Amino acid sequence: MYSQGLIGADGRSEETPEFLAAFQARIDAEEKIEPKDAMPEGYRRTLIRQIGQHAHSEIVGMLPEGNWITRAPSLKRKAALLAKVQDEGGHGLYLYSAAETLGVTRDEMTEELLDGRAKYSSIFNYPTLSWADIGCIGWLVDGAAIMNQIPLCRCSFGPYARAMIRVCKEESFHQRQGYEIMLTLTRGTEAQKEMAQDALDRWWWPSLMMFGPSDADSQHSDQSMAWKIKRFTNDELRQKFIDATVPQAEYLGLKVPDPELAWNAEKNGYDHGPIDWDEFWRVVKGGGPMNRERIAARRKAWEEGAWVREAALAHAEKRAARTAVAAE
Amino acid sequence: MHEALLELADDHLILGHRLSEWCGHAPMLEEDLALPNMALDCIGSARTLYARAGELEGAGRDEDALAYRRGERAFRNCLLVERENGDFAQTMLRQLMFAAFMEPYWHAALGSTDEAVRGVAGKATKEMGYHIRHAGEWVIRLGDGAPESTLRMGRAVEELAPYADELFASSAAARAAEEAGVLPEREALRPAWEAVMSDVMGQAGLAWPDDVWPQTGGREGRHTEALGHLLAEMQSVHRAHPGAAW
C-alpha cells in the first residue's frame, strides 16, 4: 500500500542533449526501460527513490495493522489479517528487488529508512485505535494505493511496472476485504457502528493526503510525467479516489467528515473542503503522532535481529570452508 | 471425544498466536514472511479442529465461542506452545520441537476413523514437514553460527527442554480418542521425535540436557503465567462486545 507524493527526488541529469532526446524517444514510443539499458542518472535516482519509498511504505505499513493481529475479534479475521500483513511484506520484498536492479542494495535502503533519509507513506504515522481502523485501512488506504498503482502498471521502468501488476491484484483483494469489515460493522451493534464512524472520521483526511501535495505545489511531477514514471497528477488521482469512495461511504451509512463535500454536476465529480497541508508537512517531516514509534519499531527489529543475520553469515562461511576442505 | 480435539486445537491456536506476534518485528524481511506463514498453518488447523470439536460436543459452540469465550483454566494446550517468544533462537527451537512431534502425529492420523481429522492430517503433514525444515535449519545455523548465537541457542535448549515431555503424555480424553482410532498414540511417537531432534541438534553442535525436570499441567488446564496474558489480549475485543458478529 502506498501512494504517490514522492518527496525529495533529485531528477537532474548531466547527459548530452542527444542522449536525453534518444532516451525520451524510447519513452514516448512506450518502450519499457530495462535495468541494463542506458538511462539518465536523474531517471535512475528518481526510480530508486520512488521504489525505495514504496518498499519502505509496505514494510512500515505492516506495523499499524500488525497492531491488531493479536486482538482480531474472530479466527477468520485473524487469519485474513495475518495473510494481508504478510502480503504487504511480500510487496516490500518484490519492490526492494526491483530497486536493486538499479544498483542499490536492500541493506543500503534499510539504513536510509532507519536513519530518516528515506521517506515512507505518511499515512502510517497515524495510530490504529480500534478494530474498525483495520477496515478503514483496507478500504481507504489500500483503495488510495490502488488509484496510484494501477497507472504504475504502465510505468516506463519494466521491473517496477511488472511488480505493480501482481501488487495491484493483491491490493484490490485487500480493499474489498477492508470494505467488508466496514460493512459488517455498520450492519452490527450500535457500538460497532460508532467504531466504524470514528475510524472514518480519523482516516478520511490522511487518506486524501496520501496523493501528495496539490499540483500547484508538487515539484517533481513534470519530469516524472515526461519520463512516464507517473501518468496522472496528484490532484487528478485524488479526485478519482473521492468520486469512487463517497458513494461507498453512503452505502455503509457513514458520514464523510467534510462539511463542504458536495456533488458538482458540471465537473461530474465531488467538490471537497480544504486539505490541511500544514498537517501533511508536519507529518512528512517527522511530527506525526506515530513517526517516532514506527521508526523505533523498525530499528528495534533490525538491531535485535543483527545477531541472527551475523550467525547466518558465519554459518554459511563455515559450511563453505568445510565443503572446500572436503573437496581438496 | 471433543475434549481430545480441543487439546489439539488449543495447541495450534496458541502456537499460531505466538508466531503471529513476530509479524513486522522479525530479524529479516524473509522471516517477516515465513513466521506469519507458519502462524497461518497453525491457525488454519485450529479452526477445523475447533469446528469439529464443537460439532461433537453438540452444545452449539462454534470456533469463535471455543477460542474467544473460554478462560485459561479451560484451555487444554501443552505448556510448550504458550511459552513467550523469547528471542529468535527460542522461537525456532519451540517450533522445531512442536513440528518434530506433530509431523509424525499427523502422518499417523492419516488413518484416523474421523474424516475431519483425516482432512487436517492431509494438509498438516506437509506443513509440519516444512516447519521442521525451516526451524531446523535455523537451529543449525544459530547453534553452529557465531559465538553469540551459539550461546543463545544453548540457552534456548535449557529453557525449553522441560516442556518436551508433555508432548508425549496422553490425557484421559486423548487416550479414549486413541483407543477409538480417532487420534494416534502420543507416546509411540517418541522415537520419531528423538530422531529428528538428535539429527538437528547434532548438526547444530548442541546437546540435550540430561537432568530435565519436566513441566506439565496444560492438559488439565494448569498453565504457566504466560497464558492468561495471551488470552486477555487475544479475547479482548471479542469479549467487549457480547453477541456481536465480526
Side-chain angles (χ1 to χ4, degrees), chain B residues 10-192:
Chain B
D10 289 347
D11 280 354
H12 285 80
L13 174 61
I14 299 302
L15 184 58
H17 183 95
R18 281 293 185 220
L19 290 169
S20 79
E21 292 173 352
W22 274 103
C23 188
H25 307 281
M28 62 195 68
L29 186 48
E30 284 76 2
E31 287 303 307
D32 268 324
L33 304 183
L35 289 157
N37 219 50
M38 295 195 287
L40 280 167
D41 291 344
C42 292
I43 292 169
S45 295
R47 291 184 65 191
T48 312
L49 292 164
Y50 280 132
R52 181 64 179 141
E55 203 175 273
L56 288 168
E57 185 191 38
R61 292 201 285 183
D62 63 8
E63 58 175 31
D64 289 333
L66 291 167
Y68 289 94
R69 294 201 290 278
R70 283 182 303 146
E72 60 180 296
R73 294 301 305 271
F75 267 75
R76 289 289 179 267
N77 57 280
C78 62
L79 303 181
L80 175 70
V81 297
E82 72 195 42
R83 295 276 312 171
E84 281 165 358
N85 286 332
D87 60 15
F88 192 68
Q90 291 188 35
T91 294
M92 284 298 124
L93 181 65
R94 184 185 61 195
Q95 200 62 26
L96 176 67
M97 289 166 68
F98 182 76
F101 177 82
M102 288 312 304
E103 196 270 338
Y105 185 95
W106 288 126
H107 194 78
L110 288 169
S112 167
T113 54
D114 187 276
E115 196 187 340
V117 172
R118 285 200 303 277
V120 176
K123 186 169 101 39
T125 38
K126 296 186 202 99
E127 292 168 353
M128 290 297 139
Y130 167 75
H131 295 197
I132 291 175
R133 213 174 76 202
H134 188 81
E137 280 173 6
W138 271 114
V139 170
I140 293 167
R141 266 184 221 121
L142 298 177
D144 180 28
E148 184 176 357
S149 71
T150 304
L151 187 75
R152 284 175 183 261
M153 206 62 238
R155 276 192 204 140
V157 174
E158 275 173 41
E159 282 292 316
L160 295 177
Y163 301 94
D165 244 35
E166 195 180 18
L167 291 168
F168 306 103
S170 297
S171 66
R175 267 198 304 278
E178 290 165 13
E179 281 158 19
V182 174
L183 295 176
E185 197 194 324
R186 290 182 163 260
E187 184 56 40
L189 303 170
R190 201 183 279 269

Side-chain angles (χ1 to χ4, degrees), chain A residues 70 72-73 77 86 106 298, chain B residues 24 30 33 68 233 238 246:
Chain A
T70 52
R77 295 294 185 198
Q86 187 198 28
R106 201 210 298 178
R298 287 314 306 162
Chain B
E30 284 76 2
L33 304 183
Y68 289 94
E233 183 177 357
H238 186 98
W246 300 97

Side-chain angles (χ1 to χ4, degrees), chain A residues 207-279:
Chain A
S207 298
L208 297 191
M209 293 177 199
M210 283 179 71
F211 295 94
S214 69
D215 295 347
D217 301 318
S218 183
Q219 310 156 23
H220 308 292
S221 276
D222 293 349
Q223 184 60 73
S224 284
M225 295 279 268
W227 277 334
K228 296 190 178 170
I229 293 171
K230 189 168 167 175
R231 300 262 178 176
F232 296 96
T233 70
N234 294 353
D235 286 338
E236 283 166 352
L237 289 169
R238 188 166 15 245
Q239 186 67 48
K240 269 178 193 253
F241 173 76
I242 294 171
D243 293 345
T245 308
V246 170
Q248 293 169 357
E250 283 168 359
Y251 183 76
L252 292 173
L254 296 177
K255 192 170 162 29
V256 172
D258 177 357
E260 293 177 45
L261 189 77
W263 178 254
N264 179 335
E266 208 169 299
K267 76 171 188 188
N268 199 29
Y270 286 90
D271 290 331
H272 62 86
I275 292 172
D276 182 350
W277 293 113
D278 288 344
E279 175 179 327

